[in-house]
Amino acid sequence: MAAIAYGQPMNTFIWLPAEKVPVFIAFLCVAAALLGVFFLKRRGKSFKIRTLPGALAIEEAIGRATEMGKPVFFTSGTGEIDRMATLAALSVLGEVAYKTAQYGTPLFYPNNDPVVASVAQEVAAEAASKAGHPEAYKPENVFFVTKSQFGYTAHASGLMERIKPAATLYFGTFEGESLILAETGFAQGAIQIAATDSTIQLAFFLVACDYTLIGEELFAAGGSLSGDQEVLSSIVAQDWLKAAVILLLLIGAFLVTFTGFNLASHL
Amino acid sequence: MTRRLVFWITLSFGLFMIFQFFIPVFNGAYRKVLDWMQVIYLSSLLVGVIALGLQHLKKVSGQSPGWAYSLVTIIGLLAMPVASIWGTGENSAFFWLFNNLQVPMQSTVFSLLAFFVASAAFRGFRARSLPAFLLLISAAIVMLGRVPIGTKLYFDFPTWAQTLLDVPGVAARRGILIGIGLGSVATSLRVILGIERGFFGRKT
C-alpha cells in the first residue's frame, strides 16, 4: 500500500496510507482493550486499581485548607483544551470543586486559556450545584488571566502571595512556569500536589511538591477521586495495554540481542 | 438537554478527527474545522478579556483590597489595543510598549527561575534516603560533567554525565512517555464515547 500525497486525484485514492498502518493497529488495540473491559464490566465483573497516594492526598489537602480557613489554589498550567492533560485536569477540578463547595472552602483557579476558562467555570458551577451549594461557586475566582506564559505566571504567583492558599494543586500541562509556581506555593507553606504529562517539568514538581502523580497517573486521578466504575475500568484497560507494550519491548530486546533482528524497524 | 447536545457534538467531531487522521480524503473538511476552531477561540478570547476587564473594573470602583493592581491591569489592557490604532510597525508606540515594557517584564519573571532552581535543588538534593542520595550523586555528576571545572577535576566526568542522561534518564523518560501515550489515547476515547463527561457543563 503506497502513501498518497494530499490533493492527489481521486483515482489514486488509498483508504489508509502505509505510514499510518502501525498507528491504526495500535489504535485498534487500545479501542479493543477498552471495549473488552466495558463488556466485562457490563457482565458484572468489577475492577479495582491501586490507590494513588497523590489523588488521596487531594482530599486531605482540601480538609487542611478548610481547617485553616484558607483557600485552595488550582491551576492547569498553560495547556489548551485540545490537550488530554487539560481534560484530565478538568476532571480533577470537578472533584476538587465538589469537595470545596461541600466544605465551604474558597477555590481559586486563574487560567491561561480563554476556552479552558469557560469550560472550567461550567465544571466548577456544576460541581457546586451537585454538592448542594450552588452559591459556593464564585465566577470571579475561576477566570481567564492572559495567554502570555510569564504574564500568567506572574499573576498566579502574585495571587498565591495574596490569598496564601493552604493547598495548591498543579494538574495539566506545564512548561517553564512549573517551578516558579511550585516554589511560590512552597513559600506559602501549602500542601502541594502536582500531576503533569510534561516529563521535563516532572523533575521540578518532584523536588518542590509534597505529592507528584507521574505520567499516566494524571489521567487516572479524576476516576480515582470520583470512584466512577466506568472510568476505573478504562484505566484497567490501560494497564493491560501497558503489560502488552512491556512484553513487546522484552521480545524486541531478546530478538535484537540474540538474533540481530530489529523488531522496532518493522513497526 | 445541553449535556446531551454536548455529548453528540463531542462524539461526531471526535469520530471525524479519528477518520480524518487515517483517511486523507477528509483533509479539506479538516481544514474547515480548524478555521472554525480559530473563530471559536477568538470569540472565547474576547469573552475572557471582557470578563477580566469587568472583574477588575468592579474591584477599582469598589476600592476592594489590591484595587491599584486592578487599575494597572485595566491600563495595560487598554494601552496596547489603543496604541495599535496608530500602527504596529517598528517606529510605532505599540512596538515601543511591547519592546520596552512587555518583553522586559516577561524576561524578569523568567529570570526568577534561576533562583527557584537553586532553592528547589538545595531542598531536593538533601540525602535523606537512598533514592535522594542517588539523586544527589547523579545530579552532582551531571552538573560537574557540564562545566569546565568538572573536566579539570576528572577528565571523564562529561562521559559519565552523558551516559547518565542517555541510558537511565532516557529509559525512565520513555517508560513515563509510554504510560502518558496510553493514558492520552484512553482518555480521548473516554471523552469521545461520553464516559468522561465531567467537563460537559451544567445540567439544564
Side-chain angles (χ1 to χ4, degrees), chain A residues 203-218:
Chain A
F204 293 135
F205 281 137
L206 280 166
V207 292
C209 294
D210 300 291
Y211 296 92
T212 306
L213 288 105
I214 295 171
E216 81 270 23
E217 289 181 345
L218 162 66

Side-chain angles (χ1 to χ4, degrees), chain A residues 242-260:
Chain A
K242 217 192 305 177
V245 169
I246 292 168
L247 189 66
L248 208 59
L249 284 171
L250 288 174
I251 293 170
F254 179 83
L255 286 175
V256 82
T257 309
F258 296 104
T259 69

Side-chain angles (χ1 to χ4, degrees), chain A residues 168-182:
Chain A
T168 49
L169 310 173
Y170 312 100
F171 281 75
T173 300
F174 291 85
E175 288 170 29
E177 72 282 359
S178 64
L179 192 63
I180 299 178
L181 295 174

